[in-house]
Amino acid sequence: MDRRRFVRVVGGSAILAATATGCSSTLPPSAVQAWQGPGDAEPDLRRWALRHAVLAPHSHNLQSWLVDLRQPGEILLHCDLGRLLPETDPFSRQIMMSHGTFIELLDLAARQRGHRAEVNLFPEGEFGPKVLDARPVARIRLVPDTDAPDPLFAQIRHRHTNREAYTPREPAADALRAIAQSVPPQAAKVGFAGGSRPDLLATHRTIAAQAWRIELETPRTIMESYRVLRVGPVEIARHRDGLSINSPMLRAMAAVGLLDRSQAPGPKDYATTSQVEQFQGKLAATPAFFWMTTAANDRRTQVNAGRAYVRAQLAATAHGLAMQPLSQALQEYPEQAAPYARIHSMLAAPGHTVQMWARLGYGPAIGPSPRRGLDAHLMAA
């Protein structure tokens, strides 16, 4: 094996391992500063609430939120069209859900201060089913409200997407009830699979493994992840987004130019086969799966599904549970057609859409992902 191919195979394996597991040593302080919260010194309620909203989960941690504060008393939310996933999320369904997670955290923060977010979705018209454009996703006003704050607010800074191996202990019944009860008022139906149905659990694991393999073996989709890999403290601090890896081995390889992120590994390369095996081990130990379906799949439904999902994840966090979205089988590119059809046949009524499917269990403690902070999301005055 020539030197370049060796580096691509071995280095690619390490990249994928770290990406799949979220395995990173301590991140640069500047990359996670946003998780400290705004404190009480921020006088502008909009900015105070937005500093919580930027901690929302987002596909590939792209953070494609653009905020216009130029109109007093108003928040105009746009999508950064340069931060999309055209290969794995060709119709931007997951991007729209990620705007819903942002809006929900904004509302939770506003309620903590005696207000609520009055949300007008797509005030200049709804995007079509395939392409996003420069029109705003939402016009939001923070209006006084006398309802009690939502207790889910307390989990915002503790919520993290946990890609590590979970202990094979089933989630407690009261935790599952809390997750299900957290989703209203959004019009989404939730479900769980656990040890009481080992046949169903096995099917979930099989579909998830198949979809993961497809994404690894499809060059353009795995390269979409490679393009947002941030290796080492310099890259992580510079970008504060994407998929971060800070392991000493990869940092050393990158420092001397031995890390090739320009090519996708082949299906039989160790970079691929080792990740398939590793992920199958995690699935085998996963004690439960969570899913969420909707009757429609228009842009409003996608945004509101994102609001429902982050509420479910916050409720899970409150009960010590971890979640990892299994986005691969829900993605609408041709190679995923078989897993997509199978998971929809199993979980959704005819014509309905599975908006979220996730591993669920008790995981080890993990740290936060990098965040760009509010100022990076503000449109120029």
Side-chain angles (χ1 to χ4, degrees):
M1 180 182 293
D2 63 69
R3 178 177 176 274
R4 181 175 177 82
R5 178 167 171 76
F6 174 80
V7 169
R8 179 165 67 88
V9 171
V10 176
S13 175
I15 288 173
L16 288 172
T19 302
T21 63
C23 176
S24 297
S25 51
T26 303
L27 298 179
S30 62
V32 293
Q33 177 62 37
W35 290 94
Q36 300 302 314
D40 296 324
E42 175 58 71
D44 186 333
L45 175 60
R46 295 179 302 168
R47 293 179 65 94
W48 188 87
L50 285 164
R51 290 185 189 276
H52 291 89
V54 298
L55 304 180
H58 193 298
S59 300
H60 276 54
N61 195 27
L62 284 184
Q63 307 168 48
S64 60
W65 311 299
L66 278 176
V67 177
D68 185 347
L69 295 179
R70 289 174 291 186
Q71 184 67 33
E74 180 178 289
I75 299 168
L76 203 59
L77 176 63
H78 291 261
C79 178
D80 185 340
L81 300 179
R83 290 175 173 269
L84 304 180
L85 296 166
E87 301 299 343
T88 54
D89 186 28
F91 305 133
S92 296
R93 181 188 63 83
Q94 294 176 92
I95 294 292
M96 285 292 92
M97 286 187 68
S98 298
H99 281 68
T101 64
F102 181 95
I103 291 170
E104 184 61 29
L105 294 200
L106 177 68
D107 184 48
L108 289 173
R111 291 177 186 275
Q112 196 69 14
R113 290 289 188 92
H115 289 67
R116 60 180 170 82
E118 186 178 81
V119 181
N120 178 17
L121 290 178
F122 306 106
E124 297 178 15
E126 187 171 331
F127 303 142
K130 294 185 178 181
V131 180
L132 308 186
D133 57 50
R135 290 175 294 174
V137 176
R139 177 175 285 115
I140 303 167
R141 294 177 62 245
L142 304 183
V143 299
D145 191 273
T146 59
D147 287 348
D150 193 316
L152 291 179
F153 171 83
Q155 303 303 323
I156 289 177
R157 288 166 57 192
H158 303 292
R159 180 218 61 81
H160 307 306
T161 297
N162 195 324
R163 298 176 177 84
E164 302 290 344
Y166 301 163
T167 179
R169 175 166 64 99
E170 285 212 52
D174 63 333
L176 299 183
R177 281 194 299 272
I179 294 170
Q181 291 169 359
S182 71
V183 169
Q186 305 304 332
K189 181 180 179 181
V190 303
F192 303 93
S196 63
R197 286 286 308 276
D199 56 333
L200 185 60
L201 204 58
T203 303
H204 278 264
R205 291 166 175 162
T206 298
I207 298 172
Q210 179 190 11
W212 173 239
R213 180 190 290 271
I214 289 169
E215 184 157 313
L216 288 177
E217 294 182 353
T218 304
R220 72 180 190 283
T221 59
I222 193 60
M223 286 303 297
E224 191 164 70
S225 294
Y226 274 26
R227 281 190 286 273
V228 296
L229 281 173
R230 316 304 185 198
V231 180
V234 174
E235 286 187 17
I236 293 169
R238 182 191 310 136
H239 296 282
R240 294 177 294 160
D241 66 0
L243 308 171
S244 298
I245 301 171
N246 204 23
S247 70
M249 180 184 74
L250 287 179
R251 288 167 56 181
M253 291 176 67
V256 295
L258 294 180
L259 195 57
D260 184 5
R261 286 177 268 174
S262 66
Q263 299 183 61
K268 297 186 183 300
D269 284 353
Y270 181 73
T272 302
T273 59
S274 63
Q275 290 315 294
V276 170
E277 180 179 354
Q278 184 182 72
F279 192 58
Q280 285 176 334
K282 290 182 180 181
L283 289 171
T286 297
F289 293 84
F290 162 82
W291 65 89
M292 190 175 67
T293 66
T294 59
N297 192 34
D298 56 87
R299 296 304 190 182
R300 291 174 184 272
T301 298
Q302 292 166 3
V303 170
N304 288 330
R307 296 188 68 170
Y309 169 65
V310 76
R311 290 185 62 82
Q313 193 183 27
L314 291 168
T317 302
H319 285 264
L321 285 165
M323 279 189 182
Q324 178 194 0
L326 298 170
S327 57
Q328 291 79 17
L330 307 185
Q331 292 167 344
E332 298 137 305
Y333 59 93
E335 290 85 349
Q336 289 286 10
Y340 183 92
R342 194 173 178 192
I343 199 67
H344 276 76
S345 175
M346 184 170 70
L347 301 182
H352 290 213
T353 299
V354 182
Q355 299 287 357
M356 178 56 66
W357 180 39
R359 295 169 61 220
L360 178 65
Y362 298 98
I366 60 169
S369 58
R371 291 296 154 128
R372 295 191 294 146
L374 175 59
D375 290 347
H377 297 276
L378 296 180
M379 298 178 73

